[in-house]
Amino acid sequence: MSEQQQYGRRAVEIGPTGKTVAENLTRLRKARGLSTRQLSAALEQSGRALSPSGITRMEKAERHVTADELLALAAVLRVNPSALLLPPTTEGDFDVTGVGRVNAQILWEWADGERPLKVPAGDDGSTYADFQLHARPKYRRRYKVSNETSRRAMQDDGMRIVDDGKRVRVVFEEDEVDGPSVD
């Protein structure tokens, strides 16, 4: 009987994203030429202790990776967190926890803050504008100025579009600092 069954708790199953993390952790560790002991030592030096056996269990998808561990692993492996969370390709469809099958290119665009994960058919651009407003910090938002809904969202966000004939840029009204790029 497992420890979790003994104490009446149900084990939380590792889903498709956890399995992707496991595969990517193994791939990136090996690409950096690190053993699990070396990775463990590097993590300890970074302030996030994790035993070699814990890393092995993560790589076998036998142990969950916490958010803190994911960021520490990404930092030590010198990649962004998405490199652990997403498939190492932009080709094909992949299972994503809580979402289902999604095209890898769309997954990467979503993770990079470029677009919402899903856009309803017939959307007037409000899904994209809402995503930018809530998914990215103010100076990192990328609205689509060709879309009227996005233009209104930009104005509500305190931005104005400046077109000097050479380039189009977004300026934040309160401080007149160049803002995010526009598509």
Side-chain angles (χ1 to χ4, degrees), residues 7-165:
Y7 293 105
R9 293 187 323 221
R10 198 173 123 222
V12 178
E13 182 180 319
I14 293 179
T17 304
K19 291 174 184 171
T20 299
V21 170
E23 292 167 6
N24 286 333
L25 176 56
T26 303
R27 177 180 57 80
L28 291 165
R29 178 183 59 76
K30 289 179 179 179
R32 296 293 187 209
L34 298 171
S35 67
T36 56
R37 288 185 191 278
Q38 291 168 321
L39 180 56
S40 175
L43 285 163
E44 188 167 351
Q45 286 180 343
S46 77
R48 188 67 190 189
L50 187 58
S51 71
S53 64
I55 294 168
T56 299
R57 290 183 59 227
M58 287 175 176
E59 290 182 352
K60 291 180 177 181
E62 295 173 351
R63 179 190 182 282
H64 286 274
V65 179
T66 69
D68 291 327
E69 291 165 342
L70 184 90
L71 289 180
L73 286 162
V76 167
L77 293 168
R78 300 184 316 273
V79 296
N80 64 344
S82 297
L84 287 165
L85 288 166
L86 302 178
T89 181
T90 56
E91 308 269 328
D93 294 338
F94 292 85
D95 288 322
V96 179
T97 305
V99 180
R101 299 250 341 137
V102 179
N103 177 269
Q105 179 68 36
I106 290 172
L107 277 175
W108 277 99
E109 290 171 1
W110 170 65
D112 289 343
E114 296 173 9
R115 60 158 294 153
L117 189 57
K118 293 186 176 185
V119 179
D123 183 74
D124 65 354
S126 58
T127 301
Y128 185 90
D130 182 72
F131 175 80
Q132 290 299 312
L133 180 64
H134 297 288
R136 297 175 66 87
K138 189 170 192 171
Y139 294 102
R140 302 281 300 162
R141 296 179 186 146
R142 295 179 55 98
Y143 292 97
K144 293 187 177 195
V145 297
S146 61
N147 179 286
E148 186 57 38
T149 303
S150 286
R151 283 180 179 263
R152 281 194 307 274
M154 290 171 69
Q155 289 171 350
D156 292 347
D157 206 13
M159 295 181 244
R160 64 185 172 86
I161 301 167
V162 177
D163 184 351
D164 62 11

